[in-house]
Amino acid sequence: MKKISGNDINILNNPVILTGLSHEVRTYMNSIVAFSYLQGNDNCSDEERKEYNDHILNSCEQLITHFDNFLDSALIDSEKKGTTPSRFRLDSMFEELAIELNDSITRFGKKEVVSFVLDEQPDTEGLYIDEERIIRVIKNLFYNALEHTNSGYVKIGYKKRDDKIIFYIIDSGNGYDINKELLTTGRITNDRVKSNNTFTTIGLILAQKLVKGMGGELWIEPNGINGSRVWFSTDIRSLPESENTKAQLIKSRIAI
């Protein structure tokens, strides 16, 4: 098991990441322009228009996510924002998230070769966790797993252990060595960006920073020959002290 020590990577000062980001943004923009042109061709069939439209939407979504991850990572470096937990049901959140992640497999053109697996979720009513950050971490780790999985599966889930929730993203792909080195050493090289594109590289960096900001841990293990098991944890509590006191007061009044 490779525990992540929290090597901070400032993406604004890393020329390899900035060069890779520039290249990928140009690639997505060229894709949008090209498919928009093809879509406007008079000889284009309805089926082709739908295919081109899917490519355009996918490139737009990739660009938005790319910039979100890049800017959020930069903001974390400059502002050191704290966590903002709220009360919600984790199992319900996972069910909604699973729909979006399963659809993304289709958008990446891997629906026929990669299966999405959502492990059965335990009841988690009334937990206080930073939902927004957890979703961002899971999405980024999922997209990284999908990037390295050309056949097989990507699985997500979580388990309760004492006062912690442990989340996991498991794949049958071939990215373990790349992910392990990036997450454990924090070294960014041209070869790594070529093997693990800038989109997923920045996603991994942001995931690591978000987990650290929640006071949790992130670690990686091998799965099979080259697949990865990426885990991260965060503390949980049933009720904030103020709400717990309020609930006890209401209960005592009702009893009277």
Side-chain angles (χ1 to χ4, degrees):
M1 178 174 67
K2 295 291 183 180
K3 287 279 184 177
I4 309 306
S5 59
N7 301 291
D8 288 328
I9 302 172
N10 191 323
I11 61 175
L12 294 177
N13 297 330
N14 194 298
V16 177
I17 289 182
L18 293 177
T19 299
L21 177 65
S22 175
H23 172 74
E24 288 196 31
V25 168
R26 291 172 184 271
T27 299
Y28 290 131
M29 290 301 299
N30 287 336
S31 175
I32 293 171
V33 172
F35 285 114
S36 296
Y37 173 79
L38 291 173
Q39 195 177 47
N41 192 313
D42 293 337
N43 297 323
C44 182
S45 66
D46 290 341
E47 183 177 349
E48 287 173 329
R49 280 196 174 88
K50 183 181 183 305
E51 179 184 350
Y52 299 154
N53 186 62
D54 289 342
H55 282 294
I56 293 170
L57 291 176
N58 187 48
S59 292
C60 289
E61 183 176 346
Q62 293 284 69
L63 276 174
I64 292 171
T65 303
H66 216 5
F67 279 118
D68 280 347
N69 286 343
F70 180 83
L71 294 174
D72 283 352
S73 183
L75 285 172
I76 289 174
D77 288 334
S78 61
E79 299 180 9
K80 304 298 182 184
K81 288 186 176 180
T83 184
T84 54
S86 57
R87 184 180 184 182
F88 68 102
R89 290 185 62 101
L90 193 57
D91 49 345
S92 299
M93 183 205 81
F94 257 71
E95 290 174 0
E96 295 176 4
L97 181 59
I99 296 174
E100 179 181 348
L101 296 181
N102 195 35
D103 289 342
S104 69
I105 295 179
T106 301
R107 294 197 303 273
F108 279 86
K110 296 187 177 184
K111 185 65 176 178
E112 303 300 322
V113 292
V114 177
S115 298
F116 174 77
V117 180
L118 173 64
D119 276 351
E120 184 177 350
Q121 307 305 306
D123 177 54
T124 53
E125 185 174 4
L127 296 181
Y128 274 79
I129 301 178
D130 193 329
E131 179 181 13
E132 182 179 354
R133 287 193 173 199
I134 288 173
I135 289 176
R136 291 294 297 280
V137 174
I138 292 173
K139 282 185 177 181
N140 285 330
L141 294 177
F142 175 85
Y143 292 140
N144 175 70
L146 187 59
E147 171 71 21
H148 294 290
T149 305
N150 295 318
S151 64
Y153 65 90
V154 179
K155 179 193 297 185
I156 69 171
Y158 64 89
K159 59 181 70 175
K160 296 174 67 174
R161 181 177 298 170
D162 300 327
D163 59 345
K164 295 182 181 295
I165 289 283
I166 299 176
F167 303 89
Y168 53 88
I169 296 84
I170 303 172
D171 67 74
S172 60
N174 59 4
Y176 174 72
D177 289 337
I178 297 171
N179 294 334
K180 178 190 66 174
E181 188 172 358
L182 171 63
L183 289 171
T184 56
T185 68
R187 290 195 300 269
I188 304 294
T189 63
N190 284 312
D191 289 338
R192 179 172 294 108
V193 171
K194 289 178 182 178
S195 301
N196 193 14
N197 66 35
T198 312
F199 179 85
T200 54
T201 297
I202 293 177
L204 285 180
I205 294 170
L206 178 61
Q208 184 176 348
K209 291 181 178 182
L210 289 174
V211 171
K212 184 179 180 181
M214 291 186 289
E217 292 183 310
L218 190 151
W219 63 97
I220 184 170
E221 301 171 346
N223 181 49
I225 299 176
N226 296 309
S228 301
R229 296 173 179 262
V230 182
W231 310 74
F232 71 96
S233 65
T234 184
D235 293 335
I236 60 172
R237 48 198 172 105
S238 297
L239 285 171
E241 185 176 348
S242 59
E243 291 200 24
N244 190 42
T245 302
K246 186 188 299 182
Q248 291 177 355
L249 179 59
I250 293 173
K251 183 177 179 181
S252 65
R253 287 179 176 176
I254 292 175
I256 293 173

